[in-house]
Amino acid sequence: MKLRSIRDLDLKGKRVFLRADLNVPIKEGKIKDDTRIRALLPTLNYIIEKGGKPIIASHLGRPKEKDPSLSLKPVAEHLEKLTGRKVHFPGEVVGALVEEAISKMKEGEILLLENTRYEKGEKTQDPEFLKKLRALADVYVNDAFGTAHRAESTTYGVALLFEERACGFLIEKEVEMLSKLKENPQRPYISILGGAKISDKLEVLEALIEKADTLLIGGGMANTFVKAKGVEIGNSLYEEEMLQKAVEIMEKAKKLGKKIVLPEDFLISKEKPAVEVKEVSKEEVPSDFYIGDIGSKTIEIFSRELGMAKTVFWNGPLGIFEEEKFSRGTFEIAKKVASVEAFKLVGGGESVMAVEKAGVSNKITHISTGGGASLEFLGGKELPSLEALKL
């Protein structure tokens, strides 16, 4: 996929509408993880160095009306500290206050608009809203890969109104890295898929059966596959409506000569959250217990498979890893992935958190900022934001 690059734009003296993904966790006005803010800095600094005036737009959460707890004001304050530059925050997305603040911007300064989802027109691509957005800037740059699969006003609709539009460095890198998985991965190519549901990752599952050599499946998703094979899983989470689909996926993998590896044992508990846990084989889960993590034998099997990999893609935790008693499987596999000499890409919020908590994020080739967007890209879907930036 060839996209127009920010390098191709003349930014000198231009107002630059910069769509970012600053959807960061905020608690009591404090930012808990600024990874997404830092990821924007290369593009933001480039705009300023080239003489452009960045006008940043982003959403935050899913606000109902103008929920003050989802204001981007703490992000503006944090961005000012990170960059050491003046960050204007007019407190609106469009309107007179925004226009006045833009007119007062000096070279080297930044402006951050309020949460774009405060405006109903963001979701509906209201023509009047799009017109107001377009009037704010001269050129358009999108660096919000995490929202690339959504056709919203600031990620898609307004982009089409700019003759000069391009992607930033983050999107450029994401597309380059994810394309390596799609186009010509080194083999063996092993994919690890976890998380709760097959239904959330159906397209990518179908695509990975075609592309990957081996799929290691854990988490709630594995429960559905195990149940589909006729093994009882006690009081565990699974998707009844996806049992037949799981059978079809396993049959398709067999026909294509691909391997799907499911857990052979589990860590289980009776209480929620778990107080006591025990390890059992996959056939020994009592009816009043639930599965919380993969067991020791499965960790061994998954690790052995990963030891042969030249390409690894991981999306989704292998257990309820936010509970300490069920975190071992996810963290052990994170460490194993880190130790493998291969091209390694981790995507999805919880998988990223896992490699960070395991202290191995610096040993991963690429950590993708886009969970849903990464999956849809790998699943072969067209991502609206990227379509708008194609050469």
Side-chain angles (χ1 to χ4, degrees):
M1 178 182 277
K2 297 288 184 188
L3 302 177
R4 296 175 187 176
S5 169
I6 190 172
R7 295 179 184 85
D8 303 326
L9 299 178
D10 175 13
L11 302 175
K12 182 71 177 169
K14 304 276 182 69
R15 299 167 300 161
V16 181
F17 191 102
L18 174 58
R19 181 46 160 102
D21 182 5
L22 304 178
N23 185 26
V24 295
I26 298 176
K27 192 172 181 181
E28 295 170 0
K30 302 288 181 189
I31 291 164
K32 295 298 175 188
D33 180 359
D34 70 351
T35 304
R36 286 180 173 174
I37 302 173
R38 290 178 182 276
L40 180 69
L41 295 182
T43 296
L44 181 61
N45 289 333
Y46 180 85
I47 291 168
I48 293 167
E49 285 161 16
K50 295 295 178 181
K53 292 181 179 178
I55 298 155
I56 307 171
S58 176
H59 73 285
L60 178 62
R62 294 182 173 90
K64 289 181 179 177
E65 303 304 320
K66 294 189 177 182
D67 179 350
S69 71
L70 292 173
S71 169
L72 281 169
K73 189 176 181 185
V75 176
E77 291 164 356
H78 191 77
L79 195 55
E80 197 161 80
K81 285 176 192 168
L82 272 182
T83 61
R85 297 178 182 276
K86 169 75 178 169
V87 177
H88 298 267
F89 184 72
E92 299 287 346
V93 182
V94 290
L97 285 176
V98 174
E99 289 160 22
E100 186 185 351
I102 292 172
S103 71
K104 290 179 179 175
M105 282 178 78
K106 293 173 185 166
E107 197 168 312
E109 295 182 343
I110 300 161
L111 185 138
L112 176 63
L113 302 173
E114 184 53 283
N115 188 343
T116 58
R117 289 187 181 165
Y118 276 5
E119 297 285 340
K120 287 178 183 173
E122 171 72 325
K123 287 281 189 186
T124 62
Q125 295 200 62
D126 172 65
E128 199 54 41
F129 180 54
L130 288 173
K131 190 177 168 184
K132 288 176 182 175
L133 289 171
R134 174 62 183 87
L136 300 180
D138 305 302
V139 299
Y140 176 91
V141 174
N142 192 337
D143 214 23
F145 184 75
T147 65
H149 55 315
R150 298 195 182 102
E152 297 184 350
S153 287
T154 55
T155 63
Y156 177 71
V158 77
L160 300 178
L161 301 180
F162 284 88
E163 192 174 323
E164 291 186 83
R165 56 184 188 265
C167 71
F169 298 125
L170 178 62
I171 281 187
E172 200 168 62
K173 189 176 183 186
E174 290 277 13
V175 169
E176 178 195 342
M177 292 295 175
L178 287 163
S179 294
K180 287 186 179 183
L181 294 181
K182 275 183 81 174
E183 288 158 17
N184 193 24
Q186 276 193 285
R187 299 191 182 278
Y189 172 12
I190 295 178
S191 177
I192 311 162
L193 284 179
K197 296 178 178 181
I198 294 174
S199 54
D200 288 345
K201 298 174 183 177
L202 191 54
E203 286 90 356
V204 80
L205 257 171
E206 301 273 15
L208 287 170
I209 288 169
E210 304 278 350
K211 286 286 181 186
D213 300 301
T214 302
L215 270 69
L216 311 178
I217 299 179
M221 185 188 291
N223 300 347
T224 303
F225 277 94
V226 171
K227 178 89 171 169
K229 291 188 85 169
V231 179
E232 289 308 314
I233 55 170
N235 190 27
S236 305
L237 172 78
Y238 77 101
E239 291 180 281
E240 176 82 38
E241 69 282 7
M242 296 302 291
L243 290 173
Q244 183 53 40
K245 180 53 76 175
V247 170
E248 289 167 14
I249 288 167
M250 288 187 282
E251 285 174 353
K252 185 176 179 182
K254 193 175 180 182
K255 278 180 192 170
L256 294 171
K258 305 300 176 77
K259 196 195 295 187
I260 290 182
V261 184
L262 298 174
E264 289 294 323
D265 60 348
F266 297 109
L267 287 184
I268 62 171
S269 181
K270 207 179 212 179
E271 318 88 5
K272 290 185 180 182
V275 177
E276 289 182 32
V277 303
K278 60 180 183 176
E279 190 168 270
V280 297
S281 75
K282 65 181 179 188
E283 294 90 1
E284 297 175 334
V285 181
S287 61
D288 53 347
F289 278 68
Y290 69 96
I291 295 164
D293 195 9
I294 56 173
S296 305
K297 189 178 178 184
T298 304
I299 292 170
E300 226 174 271
I301 293 166
F302 282 15
S303 296
R304 193 161 57 242
E305 293 285 347
L306 286 164
M308 299 181 280
K310 289 297 176 193
T311 300
V312 178
F313 169 65
W314 182 12
N315 180 280
L318 302 175
I320 309 167
F321 87 109
E322 60 272 20
E323 284 189 44
E324 191 182 343
K325 286 181 168 30
F326 290 139
S327 64
R328 186 185 67 175
T330 299
F331 290 146
E332 287 293 322
I333 295 304
K335 288 171 189 170
K336 182 62 187 179
V337 169
S339 72
V340 176
E341 290 292 324
F343 174 84
K344 299 165 284 195
L345 193 149
V346 176
E350 290 180 313
S351 318
V352 172
M353 199 187 302
V355 295
E356 285 173 353
K357 281 192 173 180
V360 296
S361 58
N362 62 327
K363 294 180 179 174
I364 306 300
T365 314
H366 181 64
I367 293 177
S368 178
T369 56
S374 301
L375 291 179
E376 291 197 16
F377 186 92
L378 292 174
K381 280 193 171 181
E382 287 187 351
L383 276 58
S385 295
L386 303 190
E387 291 298 309
L389 305 176
K390 271 187 178 177
L391 281 168

